[in-house]
């Protein structure tokens, strides 16, 4: 009798373990787009039932870097998103206190801000996070000392506010005083530590092509293999890959199955002629999407994402000029998706019923 009970308990434990493991693996693609159960996965199967009509949608968001030069607050960015019917936002995370942020002149968020209270505020505007930016250069010598704890804290904070992804990257240049192989070993250990926390919180850690290692296809491939985890993915960036002298479309083709978030950046003709192939990234586009020399590549990338069933977020990284330039970019993206037969995905539960007036009053005083 006792043996029978123990055997039954053992079988039950194994079933729980297998169910948990399966759930962990299945959660990653869904989390990559900030989805709850029942919503469409960002990387969907290309295989459709023969009797169903293919339907695809993608999310459009933006990085609040667009309003750095305008010295907007994060809440003013929320108001802009609401006014332009944009439901997804991405911003940088500040680990500590910054006077310019405290005075309301920086469009990012500090880790000391309470996630539950900020989520409540964002809900009023009908906006949610697609990703938070914790891109401290992990390839630098101080990457393990400063970058790893910063990313880990960002992951825990992201989980509390319901943000599905945290963005990371390497340094713009080869690390000083460290051989490339040493730097790769160091980063592998760093990402393994980071993923230990990410898996516990079920938050995606994205690697963005933005630096010396990540804009190289071979080293990016090696970095994405640092751990066999569904929570290690890639944030594609059309502008960084182009300015690094790569073909953004070919870059995306190689890693499309690992993509969980996308940055859309165009590049002006003047900037391309000045630094393309000599830099590894740009903070944002200073030309509206569609007006630069990277426009055809962006269209081709959108088509490639569509053809691979991507249903995640497209985050616009464009200088806002207090609104007009990024609004032009937004219109271009919406038109490009419509031409591809892709709907813009908006979560109806995240849409506020009416504009939030209080933020508008404060914004006019600044």
């Amino acid at each position: 009798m006792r043996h029978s009970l123990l055997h039954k308990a053992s079988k039950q434990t194994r079933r729980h373990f297998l169910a948990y493991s399966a759930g962990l693996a299945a959660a990653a693609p869904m989390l990559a787009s900030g989805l709850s159960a029942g919503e469409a996965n960002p990387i969907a199967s290309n295989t459709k039932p023969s009797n169903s009509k293919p339907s695809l949608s993608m999310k459009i968001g933006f990085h609040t870097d667009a309003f750095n030069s305008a010295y907007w607050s994060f809440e003013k960015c929320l108001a802009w998103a609401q006014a332009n019917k944009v439901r997804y936002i991405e911003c940088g995370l500040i680990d500590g206190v910054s006077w310019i942020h405290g005075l309301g002149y920086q469009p990012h968020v500090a880790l000391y801000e309470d996630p539950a209270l900020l989520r409540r505020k964002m809900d009023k505007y009908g906006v949610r996070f697609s990703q938070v930016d914790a891109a401290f250069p992990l390839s630098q010598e101080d990457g393990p000392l400063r970058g790893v704890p910063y990313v880990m804290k960002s992951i825990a904070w992201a989980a509390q506010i319901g943000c599905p992804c945290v963005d990371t990257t390497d340094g713009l240049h080869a690390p000083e005083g460290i051989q490339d192989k040493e730097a790769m070993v160091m980063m592998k250990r760093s990402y393994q530590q980071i993923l230990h926390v990410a898996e516990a919180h079920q938050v995606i850690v994205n690697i963005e092509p933005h630096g010396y290692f990540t804009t190289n296809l071979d080293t990016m491939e090696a970095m994405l293999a640092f751990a066999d985890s569904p929570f290690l993915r890639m944030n594609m960036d059309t502008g960084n890959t182009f300015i690094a002298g790569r073909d953004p479309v070919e870059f995306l083709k190689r890693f499309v199955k690992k993509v969980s978030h996308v940055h859309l950046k165009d590049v002006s003709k003047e900037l391309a002629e000045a630094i393309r192939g000599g830099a590894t990234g740009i903070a944002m586009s200073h030309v509206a999407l569609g007006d630069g020399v990277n426009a055809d590549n962006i269209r081709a990338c959108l088509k490639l994402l569509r053809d691979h069933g991507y249903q995640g977020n497209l985050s616009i990284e464009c200088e806002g000029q207090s609104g007009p330039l990024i609004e032009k970019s937004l219109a271009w993206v919406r038109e490009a998706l419509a031409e591809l037969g892709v709907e813009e995905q908006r979560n109806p539960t995240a849409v506020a019923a009416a504009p939030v007036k209080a933020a508008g009053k404060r914004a006019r005083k600044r």
Side-chain angles (χ1 to χ4, degrees), residues 92-98 109-112 146 149-151 153-154:
L93 291 182
I94 303 166
D95 187 10
V97 176
S98 164
V109 172
L111 287 170
Y112 65 74
R146 305 185 193 283
Y150 168 53
V151 175
K153 283 189 280 185
S154 298

Side-chain angles (χ1 to χ4, degrees), residues 193-208:
Q193 291 177 304
I194 288 166
L195 284 164
H196 185 65
V197 174
E199 289 176 346
H201 289 284
Q202 296 196 350
V203 170
I204 295 287
V205 174
N206 281 321
I207 303 178
E208 178 181 344

Side-chain angles (χ1 to χ4, degrees), residues 172 208-211 214-215 234-249 251-252 261-268 271-273 275-290 292-299 301-302 305 315-318 332:
L172 298 178
E208 178 181 344
H210 205 317
T214 52
T215 54
M234 191 180 92
N235 180 102
M236 175 60 187
D237 191 299
T238 61
N240 293 342
T241 50
F242 179 82
I243 212 69
R246 310 297 180 190
D247 180 335
V249 183
F251 200 99
L252 178 59
H261 198 268
V262 178
H263 285 166
L264 299 181
K265 285 205 286 269
D266 210 334
V267 180
S268 70
L271 184 63
E273 290 175 349
I275 67 170
R276 189 178 186 210
T280 57
I282 52 176
M284 68 182 75
S285 170
H286 287 272
V287 63
L289 293 178
V293 294
N294 202 30
D296 288 343
N297 290 323
I298 297 172
R299 286 193 188 91
C301 285
L302 292 175
L305 289 165
S315 189
I316 300 169
E317 286 196 320
C318 172
W332 185 88

Side-chain angles (χ1 to χ4, degrees), residues 12 26 62 65 91 101 124 136 158 171 197 208 243 258 269 278 359:
Q12 187 77 359
F62 71 103
D65 274 348
C91 77
H101 168 261
K124 291 179 181 178
F136 187 93
V197 174
E208 178 181 344
I243 212 69
K258 297 288 287 185
K269 180 181 178 182

Side-chain angles (χ1 to χ4, degrees), residues 95 136 138 140-150 186 190 193:
D95 187 10
F136 187 93
L138 293 174
Q140 290 184 174
E141 191 174 10
D142 59 350
L145 175 65
R146 305 185 193 283
V148 171
Y150 168 53
M186 180 181 72
S190 293
Q193 291 177 304

